[in-house]
Amino acid sequence: MNRIDRLTAILIQLQGKPRIPMEDFEERFGVSRRTIFRDLKSLMEAGVPIGGDAGEGYFIVDGYHLPPVVFNKEEAAALLLGAKLIEQNADSQIAKNFQEAMYKIKAVLKCHDREFLDTLEQSISVIASPTVTNFGFPDSHIAEIQMALAARKIIQIRYHSNYKDQTTDRKVAPLGLVYYSSRWHLIGYCHLRTDLRDFRTDRIQSLNILSDNYHPEDHPNYLEFLQRMIGGTDANEATIRFSKKVTRFIQDQKYHYGFVEERVEGDVVEMKFITPHYEYLARWLLMFIEEATVVSPPKLQGLVASYSQGLITHHQKYFTS
């Protein structure tokens, strides 16, 4: 990056946060602290009101604003790609908000760059996986969750638990919004359960932002909770052997059941899973009949055997009648 581009980038970065530590500039631009000092001094000499110091970080004095930012076509193309992904992986309100933002981005582009973007848009598509179907409610409330997260506000939600087939009212301190397993999840401190909980946003029936504030430092780290839940030491481990001929049909499915790693042994593929519910995994395994064998643990072996016997008993009464 040449110096002019770096000066512009520093100015934009200063406008993005209340205060920027010196280390952030050094890491982003890969230059020495002395070079950053010179750049900041040049901006101040050009009339930009910059305050702060190397210890506390730097900021732009309130009231100063940059002229409208102009995107180049490469930056606009990157945003277009993001818009295509958001269309398939967010609720309708977020998709609408992003589309409005794209209109504004196109408005500040040069004419030939705008034509470039329009042509490119016709050639990019994101097709939703056929295994990912929206069985939830039409509004995932992601926009409201973002507002509550930024303002540190408690929310009141009506939540439907698909696993228990139960709907409850919850008061939640929202700590993080996370995308995994092809879904958006709200991780928050649930006042009803007095612990951290994972709420799929497409199962939230209604959401209200309350006036009560919360402090994130008063609650456990939500990222550590998430790590334990989807792949940490507190989760349940299982080892299953599949015949090689069926593994090519479950490449996408296996990740939804906690797939971690696999090892090929001749015509068999041995897979390791980390799952919070053995019952959930056992029911999935029934579809493979003799093509899947549970190596461990005994609890999962027993569940598969029990469910298999239940399936036989259920259907035998129809075969013999």
Side-chain angles (χ1 to χ4, degrees), residues 52-312:
D53 55 51
E56 297 295 326
Y58 293 89
F59 61 91
I60 290 184
V61 176
D62 285 344
Y64 179 84
H65 295 286
L66 280 171
V69 174
V70 178
F71 296 93
N72 61 38
K73 63 182 181 181
E74 290 82 9
E75 293 166 339
L79 290 171
L80 171 64
L81 198 64
K84 292 290 185 179
L85 289 168
I86 284 175
E87 285 177 356
Q88 293 294 342
N89 295 293
D91 64 15
S92 57
Q93 185 59 51
I94 291 295
K96 180 182 178 182
N97 291 346
F98 205 100
Q99 189 61 53
E100 292 297 324
M102 286 300 300
Y103 288 142
K104 294 177 182 178
I105 290 170
K106 289 180 180 180
V108 300
L109 290 176
K110 297 175 182 178
C111 183
H112 63 276
D113 288 344
R114 191 159 54 245
E115 292 175 357
F116 164 84
L117 202 64
D118 288 338
T119 302
L120 183 61
E121 186 170 9
Q122 299 171 21
S123 305
I124 296 178
S125 299
V126 175
I127 307 299
S129 170
T131 61
V132 178
T133 307
N134 184 11
F135 294 109
F137 302 95
D139 183 5
S140 295
H141 303 282
I142 294 176
E144 295 101 311
I145 292 170
Q146 288 177 315
M147 295 298 178
L149 281 167
R152 306 303 191 200
K153 293 289 186 181
I154 301 289
I155 59 175
Q156 182 80 36
I157 65 172
R158 176 171 286 268
Y159 186 74
H160 179 77
S161 172
N162 193 57
Y163 182 70
K164 295 183 178 180
D165 194 23
Q166 182 182 60
T167 300
T168 55
D169 292 317
R170 312 283 189 100
K171 190 178 287 187
V172 178
L175 301 175
L177 186 62
V178 183
Y179 187 82
Y180 74 90
S181 296
S182 303
R183 302 288 184 182
W184 282 102
H185 296 249
L186 166 65
I187 311 299
Y189 182 83
C190 176
H191 288 246
L192 178 64
R193 307 302 185 198
T194 63
D195 202 356
L196 294 187
R197 286 293 185 268
D198 178 353
F199 302 98
R200 257 180 53 176
T201 61
D202 60 326
R203 290 179 180 162
I204 297 176
Q205 294 185 5
S206 63
L207 184 151
N208 291 305
I209 301 177
L210 305 180
S211 59
D212 303 330
N213 287 92
Y214 70 92
H215 300 286
E217 58 272 16
D218 293 338
H219 302 292
N221 185 295
Y222 81 91
L223 289 174
E224 292 178 358
F225 162 80
L226 191 65
Q227 181 62 32
R228 291 196 304 270
M229 186 183 65
I230 64 176
T233 55
D234 293 343
N236 302 309
E237 185 175 318
T239 302
I240 302 157
R241 287 180 178 171
F242 294 90
S243 66
K244 189 178 289 185
K245 67 180 182 181
V246 303
T247 56
R248 62 192 181 98
F249 298 113
I250 62 172
Q251 292 305 305
D252 294 330
Q253 292 182 35
K254 65 186 180 184
Y255 293 102
H256 296 287
Y257 295 89
F259 170 79
V260 177
E261 61 185 18
E262 66 182 27
R263 182 165 53 91
V264 179
E265 295 182 353
D267 294 331
V268 173
V269 179
E270 187 172 284
M271 297 187 186
K272 178 181 176 182
F273 291 79
I274 301 293
T275 176
H277 305 293
Y278 281 135
E279 295 84 356
Y280 186 56
L281 183 58
R283 293 183 184 277
W284 177 61
L285 293 175
L286 291 181
M287 67 182 291
F288 300 106
I289 317 176
E290 73 278 3
E291 303 296 340
T293 303
V294 177
V295 178
S296 65
K299 180 178 180 179
L300 182 59
Q301 293 171 337
L303 283 169
V304 172
S306 176
Y307 291 160
S308 299
Q309 185 58 52
L311 193 63
I312 293 171

Side-chain angles (χ1 to χ4, degrees), residues 20-55:
I20 308 294
M22 174 61 74
E23 292 77 13
D24 286 8
F25 291 125
E26 293 175 300
E27 182 179 350
R28 179 181 178 187
F29 300 109
V31 296
S32 67
R33 180 163 296 202
R34 178 178 295 182
T35 299
I36 297 296
F37 278 133
R38 284 202 301 264
D39 289 343
L40 291 170
K41 182 180 179 181
S42 296
L43 289 170
M44 286 187 279
E45 290 174 349
V48 180
I50 298 175
D53 55 51

